[in-house]
Amino acid sequence: MKRVHTLAFALLTAIAGAAPGGADLKAAALQTAQTLGGVLRDCPSSFAGIGLPEKQCVGVSDGVEDARLKLNAALADDLYSVWRSRDEQRSVYNWLKTAGGYVYLRLQPDPDGRTQTLVYLDLPPAQDESAQAQVTQAQAGPSGDAPAGATRIGVVILTPAPPVTTVPAPSPTAEASPPAQTQAVTPAPTAPAPAPATPDLAPVPFGRTLKLQNDRLHGPDVLAVQNRLIALMRPQRAGQGDGWYGPATTQTVRVFQRAAGLPITGAVDRATWNRLFSEGAMTFNAPVTP
């Protein structure tokens, strides 16, 4: 996983044409603070041993989802891709373009409780393998292992907030292949009509209506919907969903439904599924407002 993120950062650096530095990171933090009406602040003490020395933090009074929507509205052209999450949308991350290249941007609940949301910004990992190994070793400690429960993004290790404010993220294996949910089926008194054939572009068959709920839906069908939305929304930028049906996915589905002339519900029923995975599905712009 570390290698994958390192390559992703290397790609972003190549696209930007140069590696960002501390000045770019400070400018990104200031831009984020101004956009969200937040304040520049010291990073939490629990972050002392993670990331790079240049890392920046911004405190925001809005919740994570409201902050994400504001950044989408104001900085859509500077965000590299759709927002991703590793903990059921409780925190989300992306990459923000600066004059020197892309920097890492994460929105999460404030572990110190000083504000509602903490914006964490950091530089990409060093491209030199030996330098990268030294930074990783310095962050991980003498054993070379990340702290228990930590999430590693390139050479950045994000330590989870205290249990009262965060929920542990799913493991990479579970995230990549979440267990499919099963549902009890009550036999009908008469033989049901055959279900419509699954569209050719759908990697999995339609099995349930996907919608936002307190107990977040997840599985290969959610991941298929997210990846298809990303492909239609930004054809030139390949992306990968996280397999969890959260607020960001709901909002994106609503925008697709509006563009496709479907009822705007934010839920993926069979009609939306069939249109989404049809060859005639239209491209659309990323959502920028609730």
Side-chain angles (χ1 to χ4, degrees), residues 192-198 206 270:
T198 301
F206 176 84
R270 185 178 291 278

Side-chain angles (χ1 to χ4, degrees), residues 34 43 60 72 99 103 116 124 139-141 160 162 213 236 240 254 258 277:
Q34 292 173 340
C43 290
V60 180
N72 262 9
V103 299
Q116 190 166 355
Q139 292 172 342
Q213 57 187 45
Q236 304 304 320
Q240 179 80 9
R254 291 174 62 87
R258 182 180 294 109
F277 288 103

